[in-house]
Amino acid sequence: MIHSLFLINSAGDIFLEKHWKSVISRSVCDYFFEAQEKASTPENVPPVISTPHHYLINIYRDKIFFVSVIQTEVPPLFVIEFLHRVAEMFQDYFGECSEASIKDNVVIVYELLEEMLDNGFPLATESNILKELIKPPTVLRSVVNTITGSTNVGETLPTGQLSTVPWRRTGVKYTNNEAYFDVVEEIDAIIDKSGTTVIAEIQGVIDACVKLSGMPDLTLSFVNPRLMDDLSFHPCVRFKRWEAERVLSFIPPDGNFRLVSYHVNAQNLVAIPVYVKQNISFFESGFSGRLDITVEPKQTMGKTVEGVVVTVHMPKVVLSANLTPTQGTYNYDPVTKVLAWDIGKLNQQKPPNLKGSLSLQSGAPKPEENPSLNIDLKIQQLAISGLKVNRLDMFGEKYKPFKGVKYLTKAGKFQVRT
Amino acid sequence: MSSSSAFNDDKGGSSSIGEPEYGHDPASGGIFSSDYKRHDDLKEMLDSNKDSLKLEAMKRIVAMIARGKNASDLFPAVVKNVACKNIEVKKLVYVYLVRYAEEQQDLALLSISTFQRGLKDPNQLIRASALRVLSSIRVTIIVPIMMLAIREAASDMSPYVRKTAAHAIPKLYSLDPDQKDQLIEVIEKLLADKTTLVAGSVVMAFEEVCPERIDLIHKNYRKLCNLLIDVEEWGQVVIINMLTRYARTQFLNPNANESLLEEGTEKAFYGSDEDEGKEEKVEAAALVAKRKPYVMDPDHRLLLRNTKPLLQSRNAAVVMAVAQLYFHLAPKAEVGVIAKALVRLMRSHSEVQYVVLQNVATMSIKRRGMFEPYLKSFYIRSTDPTQIKVLKLEVLTNLANETNISTILREFQTYIKSMDKDFVAATIQAIGRCATSIGEVRDTCLNGLVQLLSNRDELVVAESVVVIKKLLQMQPERHSDIIKHMAKLTDNIQVPMARASILWLIGEYCEHIPKIAPDVLRKMAKSFTNEEDIVKLQVLNLAAKLYLTNSKQTKLLTQYVLNLAKYDQNYDIRDRARFIRQLIVPTDKSGALSKYAKKLFLALKPAPVLESPFKDRDHFQLGSLSHLLNAKAGGYQELPDWPEVAPDPSVRNVEVPEWTKCSSREKRKEKKVEKPFYSDSEGESGPTESADSDSDTGSGTGSGSEESGSESGSEESEGESESDKEEEEEKHKRKSKSRAKKSTQESEGRKLFLSSASQQAVSPASGPVKSYELLHRITGEGLSVSYCFSRQPFSHDPHMVSVQMQFTNNGDTEARNLRIQEPKLQSGMRIAEFPEIDVLPPGETVTMVMGIDFSDSTQAANFQLCTHTRKFFLTIQPPVGELMMPVFMTENEFKKEQGQLTGMNEITEKLTLGETCQGDAAIVQRVTSTASLSRVPCGSEMKFAGKTVTSGSLVLVTIVTREQLVAQLTVNCEKMLIGTMLVKDILQALSQ
């Protein structure tokens, strides 16, 4: 299955290699570099590259290319999914998945990779099991370790791998028992020039942070579970209970995890929280253009829309922008040609507006297409679909946990065409 | 990357690349950078007796390995520490050893004895890790030792060690393929393993070592299907892919009949869409005619049903695996379920999107209807990477039809204005494809494309020209003005492909534009020497065609061009010129061919078919690497074609193990935790089974059919003669007594066998369904009726018990108008009659379901059964156990409820177990077959829960075994009468 893994940074340096079978020379990455050169952006490097003797399957994440070497037939998604798990595990262990953090913790990284794959086949990919095997680094521990010479490797052998609840370690103890759930919904939308909605859908996730002692058995029920149309579950969720009773029943992993992700029933109309009035035009004469954007709150269910950012990828010929915002700040990066207008909170009475002129490269023909606007926003304490958690019950343990649910609505891929 | 830098890398990067960054790397330490050339200090540290120093040294060495530096000269110093007490040092030594053992084989042997010792350790995890490292050392001398270790580990007590053994198999195989036969033995043994931990790993080993030995799977097929949902996600992917292949060799094509009909109609609509080859069809038609009506093998159904919940997995690879399984194996009507899950995956990382879209593109050609509701999910955002945009475009084009084409074209219009020119080019091609496949919009598309000809971007114009050329070829007469317009473009367009296309068009249709064509040739002759090769070839073509149609004006020009071509640098062009000259310019030597020159050059050419590049890609298994690359990857296993005749299905029958074996501690424990989680009804064992199967019926069509053994089967295959129900019953009883003997029977017998086999594999939850005689064929004058309590919820009224009735006409005249009349019922009872049966021909059997509300009493329901000639007075009296239905409950809930049903509502009896009724499993089986209850997942005691069908009063049963044969039975029920009767029935069942 997976033969080798190379980590490559954006400068094209291979800064880590790991082989699970016999060693493959790193020159195999030349094929990857070739493909990378051909691609205009890192996102456009084909995920699967065929070379005379190997296949390279790669992902691009957090400015790092994870390039794996395959020799025989294997489902590509199998490898891609695994590589993302590796990246997530780094994130989980080091707080960020970056070249620096990987280099700083190269030994732990190596130990992790060793445990995650055996002969190229995934062995332990559950964060709870791995954390029993290899303790995540903390500042305190690394200081203590250098003095006492004790280790990062768990002294006790992990029990998780043997259990039928492999995602939860045994003997968890907390003085404060708490369980928090975040219901986060994202609106994906395409709004066309005239302001009509081309497509709008809501995708949601429920992320949990559960710190409970022992082996709690939780049941989360909803006021309106039918809203959730298509779900994917963490392996801990009992599928049958959901099918029969529409409740989420599970023995949770310890710590942070994603309980479910869902898609809101397509029949429901999606409330679009903002209305964007825009006018961008370019003139042939004088090599200039005009820009006028107003963002108004629309269907907000009485909540405040915050963190509004409008991003515009300008055509190559736009040299600079001279604009005046009535609220917030704007920034135009002439290298990446990205105009970002950070508005912040949306004011009901006085809708923020950004107006001014753009100057174009002289001599170049005026751009034919107007750039589309990407909107980012947040609404606290609201799940835009109307999904509501009814209650959380705990069985199997005696103590009374502290429970909490938070709602958040964000813009996902929210695009306004112009 | 240039070859010189690759060369540097090859040397282990020790020269230029990594060096400068050394000092900044904390992991390698400050001392390291200065002392890099000599590893002496490291050796010293490794030799010291302080663990902290050793650890420090090992960490630095591992950091070197991670960076790809050579650390092999430290081998002797490192390998000495293989038995170090410190666990982290030990692990890092393992890492080092596995990396360099191949290069230092002799020294590596020193470490082997440590691992051999480890293999005998009482701790299972140490045994496993010893085996893992031992098998990872690629030294051929130790092959026999590895083989021995794997054999031993394969029969280890611990499933974790057995899993490790499965992992070791492919390692040994790649080291020494001669071991194949011995390894297959081990694989066979491990395939029989019943734990979820081992299942995924051993199937992976099977796929790597002996994927062709499909016969090894037969006996394990049902078990694998049933365990699937509890296997870890990576194992699920491997198992599902393997089972897809297996099913293709063992079952019949569920779409064999339909595909014929549907293809026929589809053709009429979209002529260009598919051309499967008529012969095949005729052949298929003949086959279908011969073949009996299709009945899905219950094992086929089992696979489809047990994989379906996995569409909800969070792992994209699992979802894709199930999707391809459904695509390749499911009846057409059921494939639709995968669309939603695949569309969901498009929200994931862009690499996942890329792979999923490739597969959706292939699927959407065959099964367009499936994705149509999700059309908008494939709309393109300006922020998508180009490769994703192009794939989405492909899918949108595949989904286009008469009804949605206007929406799609409107969407395409916005794409054309994109800044991403590659994407615009792809959009233009997509428009071209829509125009060819949907006649109605051809003119609209053509007009749109013509407008693009005045676009400022040359690439856009060029692409449009190429596409317009293809479209015009379909009906050139109507579009001479477009051709004129394009002729003018030759002055401006520089893209060779576009110039060539225009020239070809002018040449081909020069009769429509007689004035312009010679002028174009004049201009081209002028610039001939500066043109690209493909353009030159088309100039030659144009010249030849004009010469043939209009030689007066163009004779000289043609000869000029031919002369230029004669001395061209490209031999193709020289060849072509010579060839054309011979054909068209009449000389004395010219052969017979020149007479036909006109026919040769101006023959009517068929319009090109614009095809999707994904057409026919589904001969590769979807989701595979080979499918993605559209080329066979190493180790790819072909997806076999469906067999014409299904191989003997009895090979999948399993000898039934003793109950006691099943209830060994380990297994029980596992079940206890797992069961309530997800496992699917009958398959997996189940205390909760009956409760599960309720909910299950809704989810899959025809599910539950295996349980009753005939319900859906008989519906699907009216032609197939149903075996005598009684006989079947008898067989079944015999079987459960003798507990399984292998048998090769025809389909009915097998179905029956399956139901018992799959229960045993797991648990005896819902026992065999007992059938009762209602009307004997002698009293019924040829008509016989039997009934059974199917334990399925009655769909129209949840308060009714569903009674499955089977009518068989044994007479020689047909029975007509079978219906129920004048039910005589006790107060409170109700009957939901079955729909009238119009005709029951002689020898036929029909199954009907009727609902009766017994009002929680065992009073009989009396009614008349009428035929067109006679009336029969009939009676159905239910056993008390059928008046209830299973309820799922946790142990705590059970205890709470039990606490409220004490005193008068509790009945306790001591009993002596019958000789044949020993072991928990047997008791569970007896109880659940007596009463429709479900087992409560809990410890050693056996608890069952249910509720009465009409009033929903709880029925709780507890059995505590005391000594060998003594047990205590407690029934708690609000309805005392029911409680008393139930106690009696269970006592009888258990003491037999």
Side-chain angles (χ1 to χ4, degrees), chain B residues 95-127:
Chain B
V95 169
Y96 182 92
L97 193 61
V98 171
R99 170 69 178 75
Y100 286 112
E102 210 168 3
E103 297 172 21
Q104 313 250 350
Q105 306 220 347
D106 295 341
L107 286 169
L109 291 177
L110 295 175
S111 62
I112 302 298
S113 61
T114 318
F115 300 120
Q116 281 180 302
R117 227 176 301 135
L119 289 171
K120 301 269 187 295
D121 197 281
N123 184 325
Q124 49 176 341
L125 290 152
I126 292 182
R127 288 202 300 279

mmCIF file of all heavy atoms in Angstrom, chain B residues 95-127:
data_model
loop_
_atom_site.group_PDB
_atom_site.id
_atom_site.type_symbol
_atom_site.label_atom_id
_atom_site.label_comp_id
_atom_site.label_asym_id
_atom_site.label_seq_id
_atom_site.Cartn_x
_atom_site.Cartn_y
_atom_site.Cartn_z
ATOM 1 N N VAL B 95 13.195 1.554 15.037
ATOM 2 C CA VAL B 95 13.060 2.391 13.842
ATOM 3 C C VAL B 95 14.345 2.316 13.025
ATOM 4 O O VAL B 95 14.334 2.121 11.810
ATOM 5 C CB VAL B 95 12.774 3.855 14.238
ATOM 6 C CG1 VAL B 95 12.893 4.768 13.028
ATOM 7 C CG2 VAL B 95 11.393 3.971 14.850
ATOM 8 N N TYR B 96 15.473 2.446 13.720
ATOM 9 C CA TYR B 96 16.762 2.422 13.053
ATOM 10 C C TYR B 96 17.005 1.062 12.397
ATOM 11 O O TYR B 96 17.425 0.973 11.242
ATOM 12 C CB TYR B 96 17.854 2.712 14.082
ATOM 13 C CG TYR B 96 19.242 2.754 13.481
ATOM 14 C CD1 TYR B 96 19.784 3.957 13.032
ATOM 15 C CD2 TYR B 96 20.001 1.600 13.361
ATOM 16 C CE1 TYR B 96 21.037 4.006 12.472
ATOM 17 C CE2 TYR B 96 21.258 1.630 12.797
ATOM 18 C CZ TYR B 96 21.772 2.834 12.354
ATOM 19 O OH TYR B 96 23.019 2.877 11.790
ATOM 20 N N LEU B 97 16.706 0.032 13.152
ATOM 21 C CA LEU B 97 16.971 -1.324 12.699
ATOM 22 C C LEU B 97 16.202 -1.636 11.411
ATOM 23 O O LEU B 97 16.753 -2.143 10.433
ATOM 24 C CB LEU B 97 16.539 -2.286 13.810
ATOM 25 C CG LEU B 97 16.989 -3.726 13.709
ATOM 26 C CD1 LEU B 97 18.497 -3.787 13.737
ATOM 27 C CD2 LEU B 97 16.412 -4.517 14.876
ATOM 28 N N VAL B 98 14.933 -1.297 11.415
ATOM 29 C CA VAL B 98 14.103 -1.585 10.250
ATOM 30 C C VAL B 98 14.626 -0.826 9.039
ATOM 31 O O VAL B 98 14.612 -1.324 7.916
ATOM 32 C CB VAL B 98 12.634 -1.227 10.549
ATOM 33 C CG1 VAL B 98 11.801 -1.307 9.296
ATOM 34 C CG2 VAL B 98 12.084 -2.142 11.621
ATOM 35 N N ARG B 99 15.143 0.383 9.293
ATOM 36 C CA ARG B 99 15.621 1.197 8.179
ATOM 37 C C ARG B 99 16.908 0.631 7.573
ATOM 38 O O ARG B 99 17.075 0.629 6.351
ATOM 39 C CB ARG B 99 15.844 2.630 8.694
ATOM 40 C CG ARG B 99 16.556 3.580 7.764
ATOM 41 C CD ARG B 99 15.694 3.942 6.557
ATOM 42 N NE ARG B 99 16.363 4.894 5.699
ATOM 43 C CZ ARG B 99 17.355 4.600 4.877
ATOM 44 N NH1 ARG B 99 17.775 3.357 4.822
ATOM 45 N NH2 ARG B 99 17.902 5.526 4.125
ATOM 46 N N TYR B 100 17.826 0.132 8.408
ATOM 47 C CA TYR B 100 19.147 -0.223 7.880
ATOM 48 C C TYR B 100 19.457 -1.717 7.826
ATOM 49 O O TYR B 100 20.519 -2.097 7.336
ATOM 50 C CB TYR B 100 20.244 0.497 8.682
ATOM 51 C CG TYR B 100 20.323 1.962 8.344
ATOM 52 C CD1 TYR B 100 19.959 2.926 9.269
ATOM 53 C CD2 TYR B 100 20.744 2.378 7.085
ATOM 54 C CE1 TYR B 100 20.010 4.270 8.952
ATOM 55 C CE2 TYR B 100 20.792 3.714 6.755
ATOM 56 C CZ TYR B 100 20.430 4.661 7.688
ATOM 57 O OH TYR B 100 20.474 5.977 7.352
ATOM 58 N N ALA B 101 18.559 -2.543 8.359
ATOM 59 C CA ALA B 101 18.866 -3.976 8.423
ATOM 60 C C ALA B 101 19.211 -4.545 7.049
ATOM 61 O O ALA B 101 20.095 -5.382 6.909
ATOM 62 C CB ALA B 101 17.686 -4.730 9.018
ATOM 63 N N GLU B 102 18.506 -4.048 6.021
ATOM 64 C CA GLU B 102 18.726 -4.566 4.690
ATOM 65 C C GLU B 102 20.171 -4.354 4.242
ATOM 66 O O GLU B 102 20.746 -5.192 3.538
ATOM 67 C CB GLU B 102 17.769 -3.871 3.729
ATOM 68 C CG GLU B 102 17.373 -4.713 2.554
ATOM 69 C CD GLU B 102 16.214 -4.082 1.801
ATOM 70 O OE1 GLU B 102 15.783 -2.974 2.165
ATOM 71 O OE2 GLU B 102 15.747 -4.714 0.844
ATOM 72 N N GLU B 103 20.755 -3.236 4.666
ATOM 73 C CA GLU B 103 22.116 -2.937 4.234
ATOM 74 C C GLU B 103 23.167 -3.674 5.064
ATOM 75 O O GLU B 103 24.288 -3.878 4.623
ATOM 76 C CB GLU B 103 22.381 -1.423 4.341
ATOM 77 C CG GLU B 103 21.475 -0.619 3.434
ATOM 78 C CD GLU B 103 21.617 0.879 3.690
ATOM 79 O OE1 GLU B 103 22.646 1.298 4.247
ATOM 80 O OE2 GLU B 103 20.685 1.617 3.327
ATOM 81 N N GLN B 104 22.814 -4.021 6.275
ATOM 82 C CA GLN B 104 23.794 -4.639 7.170
ATOM 83 C C GLN B 104 23.256 -5.965 7.689
ATOM 84 O O GLN B 104 23.023 -6.120 8.885
ATOM 85 C CB GLN B 104 24.065 -3.707 8.364
ATOM 86 C CG GLN B 104 24.306 -2.284 7.975
ATOM 87 C CD GLN B 104 25.745 -1.871 8.186
ATOM 88 O OE1 GLN B 104 26.530 -2.605 8.796
ATOM 89 N NE2 GLN B 104 26.110 -0.713 7.677
ATOM 90 N N GLN B 105 23.050 -6.872 6.754
ATOM 91 C CA GLN B 105 22.329 -8.085 7.107
ATOM 92 C C GLN B 105 22.979 -8.882 8.240
ATOM 93 O O GLN B 105 22.305 -9.325 9.153
ATOM 94 C CB GLN B 105 22.223 -8.969 5.867
ATOM 95 C CG GLN B 105 21.617 -8.231 4.699
ATOM 96 C CD GLN B 105 20.657 -9.078 3.917
ATOM 97 O OE1 GLN B 105 20.603 -10.283 4.084
ATOM 98 N NE2 GLN B 105 19.873 -8.456 3.076
ATOM 99 N N ASP B 106 24.315 -9.017 8.170
ATOM 100 C CA ASP B 106 24.983 -9.849 9.171
ATOM 101 C C ASP B 106 24.793 -9.303 10.568
ATOM 102 O O ASP B 106 24.468 -10.028 11.502
ATOM 103 C CB ASP B 106 26.480 -9.949 8.854
ATOM 104 C CG ASP B 106 26.697 -10.676 7.545
ATOM 105 O OD1 ASP B 106 25.749 -11.372 7.121
ATOM 106 O OD2 ASP B 106 27.772 -10.529 6.952
ATOM 107 N N LEU B 107 25.012 -7.990 10.680
ATOM 108 C CA LEU B 107 24.879 -7.377 12.001
ATOM 109 C C LEU B 107 23.434 -7.439 12.500
ATOM 110 O O LEU B 107 23.184 -7.583 13.692
ATOM 111 C CB LEU B 107 25.351 -5.933 11.952
ATOM 112 C CG LEU B 107 26.868 -5.770 11.875
ATOM 113 C CD1 LEU B 107 27.227 -4.327 11.549
ATOM 114 C CD2 LEU B 107 27.511 -6.184 13.196
ATOM 115 N N ALA B 108 22.514 -7.326 11.560
ATOM 116 C CA ALA B 108 21.113 -7.325 11.961
ATOM 117 C C ALA B 108 20.740 -8.633 12.636
ATOM 118 O O ALA B 108 19.884 -8.676 13.521
ATOM 119 C CB ALA B 108 20.223 -7.088 10.745
ATOM 120 N N LEU B 109 21.405 -9.704 12.230
ATOM 121 C CA LEU B 109 21.082 -11.012 12.798
ATOM 122 C C LEU B 109 21.296 -11.043 14.305
ATOM 123 O O LEU B 109 20.671 -11.820 15.015
ATOM 124 C CB LEU B 109 21.927 -12.103 12.128
ATOM 125 C CG LEU B 109 21.562 -12.349 10.661
ATOM 126 C CD1 LEU B 109 22.489 -13.391 10.079
ATOM 127 C CD2 LEU B 109 20.120 -12.797 10.539
ATOM 128 N N LEU B 110 22.204 -10.160 14.761
ATOM 129 C CA LEU B 110 22.488 -10.120 16.199
ATOM 130 C C LEU B 110 21.232 -9.817 17.017
ATOM 131 O O LEU B 110 21.127 -10.211 18.170
ATOM 132 C CB LEU B 110 23.546 -9.052 16.496
ATOM 133 C CG LEU B 110 24.928 -9.316 15.903
ATOM 134 C CD1 LEU B 110 25.830 -8.130 16.168
ATOM 135 C CD2 LEU B 110 25.515 -10.581 16.510
ATOM 136 N N SER B 111 20.341 -9.081 16.393
ATOM 137 C CA SER B 111 19.190 -8.632 17.172
ATOM 138 C C SER B 111 18.051 -9.659 17.188
ATOM 139 O O SER B 111 17.127 -9.541 17.984
ATOM 140 C CB SER B 111 18.653 -7.333 16.578
ATOM 141 O OG SER B 111 18.223 -7.577 15.255
ATOM 142 N N ILE B 112 18.147 -10.654 16.309
ATOM 143 C CA ILE B 112 16.999 -11.542 16.129
ATOM 144 C C ILE B 112 16.586 -12.256 17.415
ATOM 145 O O ILE B 112 15.405 -12.380 17.729
ATOM 146 C CB ILE B 112 17.305 -12.600 15.036
ATOM 147 C CG1 ILE B 112 17.645 -11.905 13.725
ATOM 148 C CG2 ILE B 112 16.139 -13.548 14.857
ATOM 149 C CD1 ILE B 112 16.550 -11.075 13.146
ATOM 150 N N SER B 113 17.579 -12.684 18.175
ATOM 151 C CA SER B 113 17.236 -13.463 19.364
ATOM 152 C C SER B 113 16.384 -12.657 20.344
ATOM 153 O O SER B 113 15.502 -13.196 21.006
ATOM 154 C CB SER B 113 18.508 -13.956 20.050
ATOM 155 O OG SER B 113 19.259 -12.844 20.447
ATOM 156 N N THR B 114 16.633 -11.331 20.392
ATOM 157 C CA THR B 114 15.818 -10.497 21.264
ATOM 158 C C THR B 114 14.345 -10.596 20.889
ATOM 159 O O THR B 114 13.463 -10.704 21.743
ATOM 160 C CB THR B 114 16.242 -9.025 21.129
ATOM 161 O OG1 THR B 114 17.644 -8.958 21.082
ATOM 162 C CG2 THR B 114 15.710 -8.205 22.279
ATOM 163 N N PHE B 115 14.090 -10.568 19.570
ATOM 164 C CA PHE B 115 12.700 -10.606 19.144
ATOM 165 C C PHE B 115 12.100 -11.985 19.354
ATOM 166 O O PHE B 115 10.934 -12.119 19.692
ATOM 167 C CB PHE B 115 12.590 -10.201 17.676
ATOM 168 C CG PHE B 115 13.102 -8.825 17.432
ATOM 169 C CD1 PHE B 115 14.153 -8.597 16.572
ATOM 170 C CD2 PHE B 115 12.559 -7.749 18.104
ATOM 171 C CE1 PHE B 115 14.631 -7.329 16.371
ATOM 172 C CE2 PHE B 115 13.028 -6.467 17.908
ATOM 173 C CZ PHE B 115 14.081 -6.264 17.029
ATOM 174 N N GLN B 116 12.926 -13.005 19.145
ATOM 175 C CA GLN B 116 12.406 -14.356 19.371
ATOM 176 C C GLN B 116 11.961 -14.514 20.816
ATOM 177 O O GLN B 116 10.953 -15.149 21.101
ATOM 178 C CB GLN B 116 13.472 -15.387 19.017
ATOM 179 C CG GLN B 116 13.564 -15.597 17.513
ATOM 180 C CD GLN B 116 14.624 -16.608 17.159
ATOM 181 O OE1 GLN B 116 15.801 -16.423 17.506
ATOM 182 N NE2 GLN B 116 14.226 -17.663 16.475
ATOM 183 N N ARG B 117 12.752 -13.901 21.714
ATOM 184 C CA ARG B 117 12.353 -13.934 23.116
ATOM 185 C C ARG B 117 11.036 -13.180 23.293
ATOM 186 O O ARG B 117 10.129 -13.617 23.992
ATOM 187 C CB ARG B 117 13.453 -13.311 23.986
ATOM 188 C CG ARG B 117 13.791 -14.136 25.213
ATOM 189 C CD ARG B 117 14.962 -13.504 25.955
ATOM 190 N NE ARG B 117 16.165 -13.403 25.122
ATOM 191 C CZ ARG B 117 16.938 -12.314 25.046
ATOM 192 N NH1 ARG B 117 16.651 -11.232 25.742
ATOM 193 N NH2 ARG B 117 18.003 -12.316 24.286
ATOM 194 N N GLY B 118 10.967 -12.042 22.637
ATOM 195 C CA GLY B 118 9.760 -11.213 22.743
ATOM 196 C C GLY B 118 8.511 -11.941 22.288
ATOM 197 O O GLY B 118 7.416 -11.712 22.805
ATOM 198 N N LEU B 119 8.688 -12.838 21.327
ATOM 199 C CA LEU B 119 7.524 -13.566 20.803
ATOM 200 C C LEU B 119 6.886 -14.465 21.846
ATOM 201 O O LEU B 119 5.742 -14.885 21.704
ATOM 202 C CB LEU B 119 7.942 -14.421 19.595
ATOM 203 C CG LEU B 119 8.288 -13.669 18.323
ATOM 204 C CD1 LEU B 119 8.885 -14.584 17.295
ATOM 205 C CD2 LEU B 119 7.041 -12.992 17.751
ATOM 206 N N LYS B 120 7.659 -14.783 22.871
ATOM 207 C CA LYS B 120 7.145 -15.694 23.901
ATOM 208 C C LYS B 120 6.646 -14.948 25.131
ATOM 209 O O LYS B 120 6.211 -15.556 26.088
ATOM 210 C CB LYS B 120 8.267 -16.660 24.343
ATOM 211 C CG LYS B 120 8.835 -17.501 23.211
ATOM 212 C CD LYS B 120 8.089 -18.820 23.092
ATOM 213 C CE LYS B 120 8.742 -19.738 22.079
ATOM 214 N NZ LYS B 120 8.686 -19.203 20.710
ATOM 215 N N ASP B 121 6.747 -13.641 25.094
ATOM 216 C CA ASP B 121 6.383 -12.842 26.260
ATOM 217 C C ASP B 121 4.909 -13.043 26.619
ATOM 218 O O ASP B 121 4.063 -13.211 25.740
ATOM 219 C CB ASP B 121 6.626 -11.370 25.951
ATOM 220 C CG ASP B 121 6.677 -10.516 27.195
ATOM 221 O OD1 ASP B 121 5.594 -10.180 27.740
ATOM 222 O OD2 ASP B 121 7.792 -10.209 27.631
ATOM 223 N N PRO B 122 4.596 -13.045 27.923
ATOM 224 C CA PRO B 122 3.196 -13.210 28.315
ATOM 225 C C PRO B 122 2.331 -12.011 27.908
ATOM 226 O O PRO B 122 1.112 -12.156 27.756
ATOM 227 C CB PRO B 122 3.258 -13.351 29.839
ATOM 228 C CG PRO B 122 4.613 -12.900 30.243
ATOM 229 C CD PRO B 122 5.513 -13.103 29.071
ATOM 230 N N ASN B 123 2.937 -10.846 27.770
ATOM 231 C CA ASN B 123 2.139 -9.674 27.399
ATOM 232 C C ASN B 123 1.874 -9.666 25.893
ATOM 233 O O ASN B 123 2.787 -9.678 25.079
ATOM 234 C CB ASN B 123 2.887 -8.412 27.808
ATOM 235 C CG ASN B 123 2.072 -7.174 27.538
ATOM 236 O OD1 ASN B 123 1.331 -7.087 26.572
ATOM 237 N ND2 ASN B 123 2.209 -6.197 28.425
ATOM 238 N N GLN B 124 0.614 -9.599 25.538
ATOM 239 C CA GLN B 124 0.251 -9.687 24.120
ATOM 240 C C GLN B 124 0.823 -8.545 23.298
ATOM 241 O O GLN B 124 1.184 -8.727 22.133
ATOM 242 C CB GLN B 124 -1.265 -9.723 23.971
ATOM 243 C CG GLN B 124 -1.974 -8.650 24.753
ATOM 244 C CD GLN B 124 -3.470 -8.672 24.504
ATOM 245 O OE1 GLN B 124 -3.924 -9.230 23.528
ATOM 246 N NE2 GLN B 124 -4.245 -8.075 25.380
ATOM 247 N N LEU B 125 0.907 -7.360 23.908
ATOM 248 C CA LEU B 125 1.388 -6.230 23.120
ATOM 249 C C LEU B 125 2.873 -6.348 22.818
ATOM 250 O O LEU B 125 3.352 -5.913 21.774
ATOM 251 C CB LEU B 125 1.071 -4.926 23.847
ATOM 252 C CG LEU B 125 -0.424 -4.647 23.828
ATOM 253 C CD1 LEU B 125 -0.855 -3.840 25.025
ATOM 254 C CD2 LEU B 125 -0.831 -3.951 22.543
ATOM 255 N N ILE B 126 3.613 -6.960 23.733
ATOM 256 C CA ILE B 126 5.034 -7.170 23.471
ATOM 257 C C ILE B 126 5.209 -8.242 22.412
ATOM 258 O O ILE B 126 6.027 -8.099 21.499
ATOM 259 C CB ILE B 126 5.761 -7.553 24.780
ATOM 260 C CG1 ILE B 126 5.749 -6.344 25.715
ATOM 261 C CG2 ILE B 126 7.192 -8.013 24.485
ATOM 262 C CD1 ILE B 126 6.444 -6.524 27.016
ATOM 263 N N ARG B 127 4.404 -9.291 22.495
ATOM 264 C CA ARG B 127 4.462 -10.307 21.442
ATOM 265 C C ARG B 127 4.195 -9.674 20.082
ATOM 266 O O ARG B 127 4.907 -9.912 19.111
ATOM 267 C CB ARG B 127 3.405 -11.398 21.691
ATOM 268 C CG ARG B 127 3.703 -12.322 22.854
ATOM 269 C CD ARG B 127 2.954 -13.636 22.726
ATOM 270 N NE ARG B 127 1.500 -13.535 22.676
ATOM 271 C CZ ARG B 127 0.706 -13.394 23.744
ATOM 272 N NH1 ARG B 127 1.239 -13.315 24.952
ATOM 273 N NH2 ARG B 127 -0.608 -13.336 23.620
#
